[in-house]
Structures are given as structure tokens and as C-alpha cells.
């Protein structure tokens, strides 16, 4: 059996005959299991992957899809014989196929080999030819599919550039020339092959003009083909694109390459060693610097920044130079405010690269690069996406980075390390005062040492903390100060966040005499969501508006909204008991409440605990009420959800009292 997802999802038998997979839902189930790469996918995860608002019998429907897929994948399996390919495991399902039988897995494995073994170039060429279009092209644009498409597309672009480098390193330019990389060659590569490679790279840079290593490869291919003028024209085109659209000079590698071609410093057919590594000898104006600049612009630029940053890290790792890799990883000291990653898989890849680099540097690593790597681990290990063990390790990294930065006396490094401390300060509810102290120190450092982007971060951290403590006047002052700073630093995302804060403040005022109506507050939330839609922050946006509207309804003692079009994102499990209760389905609501896990330790954990408390009180369930009361006790002086600075469910004390009454508790117990 062969399964392909690099294009539309399909299955084929060994002889190439297609397998009928059924309808779109069947293909979605199969594709989600492929994306898990041999790991078990829980039933609840599959249900959430298939439906934004699961129907009452979603689990039964899922089982029907699985049964149909099993019949399609193993039509000759005897009755009552356990399946071998699509297997039930624990609370979910797993697809057990050799990696070579899934095109996406095969491609990733070949790419990994080619990074270390130049002889794998022909395999890489074949693996790239397996791509028939965007990964999972025929599936709906659901979050998991979007993440996989983005991740695999980044690997495809890396693969195109790695293949070009390997072919250029191996290609002699004259019958008596030896391959530059030592790859055995039985015959000289004809000029036609170099011309074809140059044409492929030309199309590649047209589609992805910000990938500086690709421009270097194109210039190399043209130069090796004897087209010196075209090589220089390509480099000048790169200079124009970077200068006119982004106001940047080309990276040091492109500048050096242009100079070498002009002066003839590189013997024809034997390019400098650094040319053979996209991103090699990364200087101050490299892809990672471009990514750092783009990250502050939001929207599509922010998406490109994430992709280019990871490409730069992979390129640096391929050099085998741990110190270089540490500099590249640590150069991306972009302030981060939200405890849920926009791309969890990519954040995990950055953390893993930082940890590999720390291990490669060893215990004798200089304190400054070690501190930057540790701070990167802390900042990229967003608490909402972590297991308890990873959360503990991220917290340790944050504390160690802070200690090293203080000892070094480097204010910029300390501000970056404190950013990690802030993002790892959501281990339990009720820590808004601690975060405010961290934000105040970041702001002080940034003000005294001219670190404008960290000054913005400090203001926003303090806005969130004041919002959590119900001090809307202080929060509004921090919002205005952040906006003034953003005007001078070209950080348009700040206005998106402060727009949400003003909607949160309107929701709070809607409960007071003379304040806006609930409908007006809801309209403010919807306006804020419209601005967020193009900001390039899916980790922040998804599920935020429904949660805000639910909080507004709770402020006015109204039931949960029942609009099936609302995308609750990661907050659905905690909203579901209230949604079911609002539809009169108490038995299902009680079951959903009983199955609730603890909320993730993030900006919205108090809000989710308060939803648990409200559902427990409505349904008369003492056990979850007791859990919620214990969790919320430390946050009793805060406002639920307001630590985000974006929404509010009202004072935590209100929900705490409901939970205690349901649990039969009283007072400060």
C-alpha cells in the first residue's frame, strides 16, 4: 500500500492501482493519521480535526469512517482478524505503514540523508518529483492541515536549494575538472544540465524572492554555465528587490559573491567553499536578519519571517559550525507576548535546534551565546503547547538565561531573557503581580538602553497585568504609551492588540450604568477580530472572538451562544459544557464537564477555570466545582481572561463563590 499526500490525498496498491477511499471525511481521517507519523491520534483530536462544531454523534461517525477505511486499505483481511494498517491503540488510532510507503515521510527521510550525504542527490531529485501540488491539497483549510502544509512546504523549499547545491558542487565545468565536493562523477555534466538547473532556480527565486541562499545558488549556476553577465544581473535584481521593497542591503554572502564574480577571485569551476552552503558564513545582513525585520510587520510578512528564520537555522546547522548556529538562532531576539504559538511545530523545531546547539557547544560554551540559546528555548516554548516535562525544562531555561544575562551585564540580552521569564510565568493562576514586576523591569531596561521593541513589550506586559487586576485606567495608560512607541518603531500589530483591550474595557463598562450596551460591546469585539484577521497571528486569533462573546454573555447573566458557525479553536472543550447546557442537553453537558482536563497554563487559564466553575454550578457537579475552586483561589483578586488584555469574563471571585457553593465549601477554604 502506498499513500500520497504531497498533492491531493490518495492511496495506491503496489501495482499502482488506485484505492477508493470514500468521501472527503474519510480522506481527512486518513490524512490526519498520516500527519501523526506513526503516533497515536486520540479520538477527541480526530473529532476536533473533522468538525468545527462536532455533531452529537461525532464519535460514532468517526468509527464509521475508520471501519470504511480499513475495508478499503485491507480488502482481503479475513473477518475477525485484527487490522494491520489502521490500528486501534489506547484512546485513538494509529496508521502503521513503513515510512517509505508514504510520500511525505519518504521525502523527509531523503532530505535528512541528503543534508549529510551528498551521494543522496539522485534520491532527493526523485523525492522532489513526487510533489504533485501543495500538501493535502484537497482537504479543507483546517488548522492541523494548514500547519502541515506550511511545514512541508518549507522542507520542499529547503530540498530544492539543497539539491541545487549538491548538483553544483558535483558538476565539473570542463572534461578535466574534478567534482568540487568529492562526489564521484562518471562523466562531465553537460552545459545543458547547468542551463536547466539555472532555469529551475530562476523560477524558484521568482516565486520566493526573499530566500537569499536561492539567489546565491542561481548566480552560481549561471556563472558555472559561463553566463557571467546573467549571474551579475541576478545578484543585482536581488539587491533591487531587497532594497526597494524592504529597505535592506543584500546579505554578506550575496555581496561577497558579486565581488568574487567581478574580480574573478573564484577560479572557474571551483567556487569558494562558503558558496556551497546556503547561508554559509552568515553575516549581519542575512536571511535571519531579514526575518527579524519582517516579524515586526505582521500579516504575510510575519508568515514569511517564520519560514525564513527556520530556513536560516537549518542552513547554519548544515555547516556543522555550532558557534555560527548559536549566533543565527540567538539573532532572532524578537519580543513575544502570547503564550500560544502561531505555529507550534515550527516553535518546537526552533527549540530542538537550540537544544542541539547547546549540547554541541558543551558545558564550556561562552555565557553570552548560551544565554541567548536558553532564552530562545524559553521564548519559543509557549506554555499552552507544552507537556509538564517540557514546561519544567522551559522554566529552567528561562531562569538560567536570566541569571547568565544579569551576570554579563548586557541589557539587551537581559530584556530578551526576561521575555522568556514572562512567557514561563503562567504555571498556575494568580500570578499577574509577578508578571507586572517582570514587565516593569523590561520597560525600565528598554527605556534606559534604547531598546524600543522591548519597550513596547514592557508596556504590553504591564497592560495585561493591570487588566488582570481590574485596573483599567492603568491598563489604558499603558495602551496609549505602547501605541506612541509603536508609531516610532513601525510595529502595526500593537494597534491590533490595543484595539482588543479597548473592546475588553467596553465589555466591562457594559455592566455599569451609563456604559455601552452589550450589543455595542459585542460590536467592538467584532471590529477587533476583523483587524486581527490579517495580522498573521493564528495562535492568538483562533477561538478568541467566541470566547470573548461568551464572556460578554456571562457578564450579563445570559446563556452561552449557540451559533454553530463560531470557531472555538483550542477553547472548545471548556466551552462545550456551557454550549450543551444552553441547548438543553444536560446529560451530554455533564459528561463533557466530567471529561474536562485542566486548562493549559497560559494567558486564558483563569477564564477556562471559570467556565468550568460556571458549568459545574449550573449542572450541580461538586467534583469539577472543587477542582475549579482550588485552582482559582490564588486568582481571587483577578479578572477572568483579562490577563490576556483582550477579553474578560468578569471577576474571578464571582465564579469562585459559585464553585465553592456547589462543592459545599465556604469562606477562604
Amino acid at each position: 500500500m502506498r499513500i500520497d499526500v504531497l498533492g491531493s490525498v490518495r492511496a495506491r496498491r503496489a501495482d499502482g492501482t488506485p484505492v477508493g477511499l470514500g468521501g472527503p471525511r474519510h480522506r481527512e481521517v486518513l490524512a490526519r493519521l498520516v500527519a501523526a507519523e506513526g503516533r497515536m491520534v486520540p479520538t477527541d483530536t480526530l473529532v476536533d480535526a473533522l468538525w468545527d462544531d462536532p455533531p452529537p454523534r461525532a464519535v460514532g461517525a468517526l468509527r464509521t469512517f475508520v471501519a470504511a477505511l480499513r475495508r478499503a486499505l485491507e480488502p482481503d483481511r479475513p473477518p475477525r482478524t485484527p487490522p494491520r494498517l489502521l490500528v486501534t491503540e489506547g484512546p485513538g488510532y494509529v496508521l502503521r505503514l513503513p515510512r517509505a510507503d508514504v510520500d511525505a515521510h519518504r521525502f523527509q527521510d531523503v532530505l535528512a540523508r541528503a543534508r549529510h550525504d551528498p551521494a543522496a542527490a539522485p534520491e532527493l531529485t526523485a523525492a522532489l518529483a513526487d510533489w504533485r501540488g501543495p500538501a493535502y491539497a484537497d482537504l479543507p483549510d483546517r488548522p492541523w492541515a494548514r500547519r502541515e502544509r506550511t511545514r512541508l512546504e518549507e522542507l520542499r523549499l529547503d530540498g530544492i536549494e539543497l539539491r541545487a547545491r549538491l548538483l553544483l558542487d558535483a558538476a565539473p565545468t570542463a572534461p578535466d575538472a574534478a567534482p568540487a565536493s568529492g562526489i564521484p562523477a562518471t562523466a562531465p555534466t553537460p552545459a545543458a544540465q547547468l542551463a536547466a538547473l539555472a532555469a529551475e532556480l530562476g523560477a524558484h527565486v521568482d516565486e520566493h524572492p526573499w530566500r537569499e541562499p536561492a539567489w546565491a545558488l542561481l548566480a552560481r549556476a549561471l556563472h558555472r554555465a559561463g553566463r557571467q553577465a546573467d549571474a551579475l544581473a541576478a545578484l543585482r535584481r536581488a539587491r533591487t528587490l531587497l532594497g526597494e521593497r524592504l529597505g535592506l542591503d543584500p546579505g554578506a554572502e550575496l555581496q561577497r559573491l558579486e565581488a568574487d564574480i567581478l574580480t574573478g577571485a573564484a577560479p572557474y569551476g571551483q567556487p569558494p567553499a562558503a558558496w556551497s552552503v546556503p547561508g554559509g558564513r552568515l553575516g549581519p545582513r542575512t536571511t535571519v536578519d531579514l526575518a527579524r525585520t519582517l516579524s515586526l510587520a505582521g500579516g504575510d510578512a510575519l508568515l514569511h519571517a517564520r519560514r525564513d528564520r527556520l530556513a536560516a537555522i537549518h542552513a547554519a546547522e548544515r555547516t556543522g559550525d555550532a558557534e555560527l548556529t548559536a549566533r543565527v538562532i540567538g539573532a532572532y531576539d524578537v519580543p513575544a507576548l502570547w503564550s500560544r504559538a502561531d505555529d507550534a511545530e515550527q516553535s518546537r523545531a526552533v527549540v530542538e535546534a537550540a537544544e542541539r546547539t547547546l549540547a554541541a557547544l558543551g558545558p564550556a560554551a561562552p555565557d553570552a551565546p548560551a544565554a541567548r540559546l536558553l532564552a530562545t528555548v524559553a521564548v519559543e516554548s509557549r506554555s499552552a503547547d507544552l507537556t509538564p516535562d517540557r514546561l519544567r525544562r522551559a522554566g529552567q531555561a528561562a531562569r538560567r538565561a536570566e541569571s547568565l544575562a544579569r551576570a554579563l551585564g548586557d541589557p539587551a540580552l537581559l530584556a530578551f531573557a526576561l521575555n522568556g521569564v514572562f512567557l514561563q510565568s503562567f504555571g498556575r493562576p494568580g500570578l499577574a503581580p509577578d508578571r507586572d514586576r517582570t514587565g516593569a523591569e523590561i520597560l525600565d531596561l528598554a527605556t534606559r538602553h534604547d531598546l524600543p521593541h522591548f519597550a513596547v513589550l514592557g508596556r504590553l506586559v504591564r497592560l495585561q497585568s493591570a487588566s488582570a487586576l481590574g485596573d483599567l485606567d492603568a491598563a489604558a495608560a499603558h495602551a496609549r504609551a505602547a501605541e506612541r512607541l509603536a508609531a516610532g518603531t513601525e510595529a502595526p500589530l500593537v494597534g491590533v492588540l490595543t484595539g482588543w483591550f479597548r473592546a475588553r474595557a467596553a465589555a466591562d463598562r457594559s455592566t455599569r450604568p451609563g456604559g455601552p450596551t452589550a450589543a455595542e460591546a459585542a460590536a467592538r469585539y467584532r471590529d477587533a477580530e476583523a483587524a486581527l484577521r490579517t495580522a498573521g497571528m493564528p495562535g492568538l486569533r483562533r477561538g478568541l472572538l467566541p470566547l470573548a462573546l461568551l464572556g460578554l454573555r456571562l457578564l450579563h447573566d445570559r446563556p452561552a451562544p449557540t451559533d454553530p458557525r463560531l470557531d472555538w479553536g483550542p477553547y472548545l472543550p471548556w466551552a462545550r459544557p456551557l454550549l450543551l447546557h444552553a441547548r438543553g442537553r444536560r446529560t451530554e453537558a455533564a459528561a463533557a464537564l466530567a471529561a474536562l482536563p485542566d486548562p493549559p497554563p497560559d494567558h486564558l487559564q483563569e477564564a477556562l477555570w471559570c467556565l468550568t466553575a460556571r458549568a459545574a454550578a449550573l449542572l450541580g457537579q461538586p467534583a469539577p466545582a472543587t477542582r475549579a475552586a482550588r485552582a482559582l483561589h490564588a486568582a481571587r483578586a483577578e479578572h477572568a481572561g483579562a490577563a490576556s488584555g483582550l477579553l474578560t469574563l468578569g471577576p474571578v471571585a464571582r465564579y469562585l463563590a459559585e464553585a465553592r457553593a456547589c462543592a459545599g465549601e465556604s469562606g477562604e477554604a
Side-chain angles (χ1 to χ4, degrees):
M1 182 66 59
R2 302 293 177 93
I3 294 178
D4 300 330
V5 298
L6 301 180
S8 58
V9 178
R10 68 183 186 184
R12 296 173 296 148
R13 305 203 181 282
D15 62 2
T17 57
V19 175
L21 294 176
R25 298 287 194 195
H26 299 77
R27 291 197 299 278
E28 281 190 70
V29 172
L30 182 62
R32 183 62 185 84
L33 293 171
V34 167
E37 298 197 36
R39 296 183 298 274
M40 184 271 291
V41 181
T43 297
D44 286 350
T45 301
L46 286 168
V47 167
D48 289 340
L50 290 174
W51 290 281
D52 294 330
D53 186 12
R57 297 176 181 173
V59 173
L62 172 63
R63 289 172 179 156
T64 300
F65 301 149
V66 169
L69 283 170
R70 283 171 169 165
R71 289 193 297 272
L73 297 176
E74 297 184 70
D76 299 326
R77 178 167 58 89
R80 293 180 295 280
T81 302
R84 293 180 300 105
L85 299 184
L86 206 170
V87 179
T88 301
E89 184 177 291
Y93 301 99
V94 62
L95 183 67
R96 289 182 178 163
L97 267 180
R99 289 182 64 83
D101 291 340
V102 179
D103 61 354
H105 303 168
R106 184 168 63 250
F107 170 73
Q108 292 175 81
D109 293 346
V110 170
L111 179 60
R113 281 198 301 276
R115 284 173 174 155
H116 303 287
D117 180 8
E123 282 185 273
L124 182 56
T125 299
L128 285 165
D130 286 340
W131 283 76
R132 298 168 289 113
Y136 306 101
D138 57 339
L139 297 189
D141 192 30
R142 303 197 189 279
W144 75 265
R146 192 182 313 124
R147 289 192 297 270
E148 277 298 289
R149 284 192 196 102
T150 301
R151 183 181 71 86
L152 288 168
E153 176 63 11
E154 176 58 40
L155 293 177
R156 185 183 74 86
L157 298 178
D158 281 356
I160 289 170
E161 291 163 15
L162 176 59
R163 170 183 173 271
R165 174 173 67 83
L166 295 176
L167 292 176
L168 284 168
D169 286 353
T173 55
D176 57 348
S181 67
I183 302 174
T186 57
T189 302
Q193 184 171 338
L194 283 169
L197 183 58
E200 292 173 17
L201 287 166
H204 180 61
V205 298
D206 283 345
E207 189 174 357
H208 307 283
W210 312 127
R211 295 181 72 89
E212 291 190 49
W215 286 104
L217 288 163
L218 173 60
R220 277 189 62 197
L222 291 167
H223 186 223
R224 297 288 298 279
R227 296 163 58 184
Q228 180 176 342
D230 289 338
L232 290 171
L235 292 170
R236 287 166 183 159
R237 184 177 165 215
R239 179 190 296 276
T240 299
L241 282 169
L242 293 172
E244 289 184 354
R245 297 193 188 180
L246 297 171
L248 296 176
D249 293 329
E253 194 57 42
L254 291 182
Q255 295 183 44
R256 184 165 47 246
L257 177 52
E258 185 174 19
D260 285 344
I261 293 176
L262 285 168
T263 62
Y268 191 75
Q270 296 187 18
W275 290 13
S276 65
V277 181
R281 296 183 188 169
L282 291 168
R285 285 291 193 181
T286 59
T287 300
V288 74
D289 292 282
L290 176 60
R292 188 174 182 275
T293 301
L294 289 174
S295 67
L296 302 170
D300 290 342
L302 180 55
L303 300 178
H304 285 299
R306 296 188 192 113
R307 181 197 69 191
D308 292 345
R309 178 198 185 185
L310 194 57
I313 291 172
H314 289 331
E317 283 196 292
R318 289 196 292 270
T319 69
D321 185 335
E323 293 183 5
L324 168 65
T325 305
R327 290 198 299 275
V328 169
I329 293 173
Y332 194 89
D333 54 352
V334 175
L337 184 70
W338 191 241
S339 51
R340 185 177 294 276
D342 292 312
D343 187 333
E345 291 293 335
Q346 187 177 84
S347 292
R348 190 175 301 115
V350 171
V351 169
E352 290 170 354
E355 290 177 336
R356 285 193 299 269
T357 306
L358 279 166
L361 290 172
D367 286 351
R372 284 196 171 275
L373 289 169
L374 288 164
T376 299
V377 170
V379 169
E380 293 296 333
S381 298
R382 305 299 174 89
S383 53
D385 307 305
L386 300 183
T387 63
D389 179 61
R390 295 291 306 185
L391 189 65
R392 177 184 58 79
R393 288 164 57 187
Q396 291 173 343
R399 291 188 293 273
R400 179 63 176 150
E402 179 190 5
S403 176
L404 289 172
R406 290 192 189 282
L408 288 164
D410 182 335
L413 179 55
L414 179 56
F416 185 37
L418 288 172
N419 193 173
V421 170
F422 161 71
L423 286 169
Q424 297 307 319
S425 66
F426 294 89
R428 63 173 176 81
L431 294 176
D434 292 354
R435 290 193 289 275
D436 190 53
R437 284 189 288 273
T438 300
E441 184 172 6
I442 292 172
L443 181 58
D444 178 64
L445 280 168
T447 302
R448 288 190 291 112
H449 299 283
D450 191 25
L451 305 169
H453 295 303
F454 280 99
V456 171
L457 174 68
R459 286 291 183 187
L460 293 176
V461 170
R462 299 208 68 191
L463 180 159
Q464 290 180 343
S465 304
S467 171
L469 296 169
D471 189 346
L472 294 185
D473 289 340
H478 288 304
R480 291 190 295 271
E483 288 167 340
R484 287 194 297 270
L485 287 166
T489 58
E490 298 183 2
L493 298 180
V494 171
V496 175
L497 300 175
T498 55
W500 270 93
F501 164 71
R502 292 190 173 91
R504 170 261 187 271
D508 188 275
R509 293 196 309 273
S510 72
T511 63
R512 306 175 193 173
T517 66
E520 289 169 340
R524 295 288 294 272
Y525 274 137
R526 293 186 187 279
D527 288 344
E529 199 277 340
L532 182 57
R533 194 174 300 148
T534 58
M537 296 187 286
L540 174 62
R541 179 183 174 231
R542 187 153 186 257
L544 191 63
L545 178 62
L547 188 60
L549 295 176
L550 173 57
L552 183 60
R553 283 174 165 262
L554 294 178
L555 285 172
H556 290 270
D557 295 316
R558 297 174 61 191
T562 56
D563 185 347
R565 296 169 296 178
L566 292 175
D567 176 8
W568 291 89
Y571 313 118
L572 179 60
W574 293 272
R576 184 181 282 136
L578 292 173
L579 300 177
L580 292 168
H581 181 270
R583 295 169 184 162
R585 291 152 58 179
R586 289 180 60 90
T587 301
E588 293 172 64
L593 177 63
L596 272 185
D598 289 355
D602 64 6
H603 278 82
L604 291 167
Q605 60 183 318
E606 290 91 351
L608 302 185
W609 274 120
C610 287
L611 296 184
T612 304
R614 172 57 60 88
L618 287 172
L619 295 164
Q621 299 291 318
T626 299
R627 286 173 57 218
R630 289 173 179 168
L632 290 172
H633 177 75
R636 59 193 179 280
E638 297 184 16
H639 286 233
S644 65
L646 309 174
L647 58 87
T648 183
L649 279 64
V652 168
R654 176 187 181 190
Y655 299 90
L656 178 58
E658 292 178 353
R660 284 175 171 163
C662 180
E665 301 176 4
S666 62
E668 295 295 311

